[in-house]
Amino acid sequence: MPELKITLNPQGVMAPALRAMQNTCELMAICLTALDSTDLENPPQIPGSFFSWTFTGDHRSAAEKKSAYTNWLLSKGFHDLAIGIRRSLEEAFLYIEVCKLRGEKVPEGGIDELFIQIRRRANQINFPDLLASVNAELHEPMQFEEEFLSLQKVRNCLEHRDGIVSHLDVNDGNQSLRLILPKLKVYTEIDGREIDLHSNMRIEKEQEIVIERGRRERIFPLQTPVIFSGAEFEEIASACWFFGSDLVGKLPKL
């Protein structure tokens, strides 16, 4: 009986999360810079458009518009990051299911049709169940399950409730929505105190710099908007690398 050889690349599992990270970080830098330099009282016309619209009755100041547009950009970027994480989990689901095919006969319809069916199953599973399904098949549980779920809860709030925290979003027994993210903690110790490093900070000779994994929490109380700064968004985007690396490192061994 002829054999079919399938080569699995674990980096293909990480690719959606990293692509979302790259796209959102680059676009955020471009768009936030453009907002700083654009006259929002007289916004430019969309390039290449034949018709242009003029809106009357909008009494917002340039500062109010800038705040609203910035929040929209950051919310859209966060949404795309969450989708990138979801797609990496779906790729992990495919990777795991294909691993189970070793020694099996190719089903009727061919391998391409089988891949389509597996991807469809992954796409139809809700996020918590998809995460649990993938986690159950890894050779070691993921470290960031709580962070994964908090990311998805914030995404649901942004997507379905315009970013205003409702009773559907708050954590059990709490009156707030928590976003928990992994981060690189870079600090030094001065007089027994941990001091986070920052740009242009002076470090004395022989002073030790410590780099370790930490985590950051953002709390959004009930009925308040989910808002990020540009710097906070970049930190959120960086979490995609932690998520992807943890997931790829624990895929089944071939």
Side-chain angles (χ1 to χ4, degrees), residues 19-249:
R19 181 54 56 86
M21 179 181 175
Q22 176 188 0
N23 288 347
T24 55
C25 284
E26 290 181 355
L27 282 169
M28 204 61 65
I30 293 168
C31 294
L32 292 180
T33 300
L35 273 179
D36 281 338
S37 60
T38 298
D39 179 6
L40 296 180
E41 300 288 355
N42 300 285
Q45 186 174 337
I46 296 176
S49 64
F50 181 70
F51 292 102
S52 62
W53 292 90
T54 299
F55 298 92
T56 60
D58 186 354
H59 302 296
R60 291 177 298 174
S61 66
E64 290 171 327
K65 283 186 175 183
K66 181 179 179 180
S67 176
Y69 299 162
T70 298
N71 289 340
W72 182 87
L73 283 168
L74 294 171
S75 295
K76 174 61 178 171
F78 185 97
H79 178 264
D80 287 358
L81 288 175
I83 289 177
I85 292 292
R86 159 103 199 184
R87 288 176 178 166
S88 279
L89 282 172
E90 291 180 6
E91 289 300 310
F93 185 93
L94 174 66
Y95 186 102
I96 290 166
E97 291 301 306
V98 172
C99 284
K100 296 177 182 178
L101 297 176
R102 182 184 301 173
E104 299 290 331
K105 292 182 179 180
V106 175
E108 189 174 343
I111 198 70
D112 289 339
E113 179 60 29
L114 178 62
F115 280 17
I116 291 172
Q117 292 175 9
I118 294 173
R119 289 187 184 279
R120 184 177 294 123
R121 283 167 51 203
N123 185 255
Q124 291 173 346
I125 302 173
N126 66 45
F127 189 91
D129 289 344
L130 175 63
L131 179 59
S133 177
V134 169
N135 212 11
E137 300 289 346
L138 301 178
H139 66 77
E140 183 183 341
M142 283 184 285
Q143 295 177 335
F144 301 119
E145 183 171 358
E146 186 180 15
E147 288 86 339
F148 268 119
L149 292 173
S150 78
L151 188 84
Q152 183 65 18
K153 286 179 72 72
V154 174
R155 175 200 169 186
N156 287 338
C157 177
L158 290 168
E159 183 174 356
H160 300 298
R161 287 168 283 284
D162 293 326
I164 304 299
V165 178
S166 76
H167 289 284
L168 297 174
D169 304 305
V170 297
N171 301 94
D172 293 339
N174 204 333
Q175 292 298 302
S176 60
L177 172 62
R178 282 196 312 160
L179 174 63
I180 311 168
L181 295 167
K183 62 172 288 188
L184 275 181
K185 187 177 179 182
V186 185
Y187 66 92
T188 188
E189 288 193 2
I190 300 177
D191 298 328
R193 295 181 298 116
E194 291 185 3
I195 307 297
D196 291 336
L197 265 62
H198 54 78
S199 298
N200 300 318
M201 182 176 177
R202 180 182 177 85
I203 301 295
E204 300 297 333
K205 186 178 180 181
E206 305 298 333
Q207 192 171 341
E208 183 180 4
I209 295 175
V210 182
I211 301 176
E212 61 185 27
R213 199 193 77 206
R215 73 181 206 168
R216 172 180 169 84
E217 292 190 21
R218 285 289 313 277
I219 305 296
F220 304 101
L222 190 65
Q223 299 301 322
T224 63
V226 174
I227 297 176
F228 309 106
S229 69
E232 287 171 330
F233 177 84
E234 189 166 34
E235 189 173 75
I236 293 167
S238 298
C240 287
W241 184 85
F242 288 95
F243 291 145
S245 296
D246 188 44
L247 177 58
V248 168

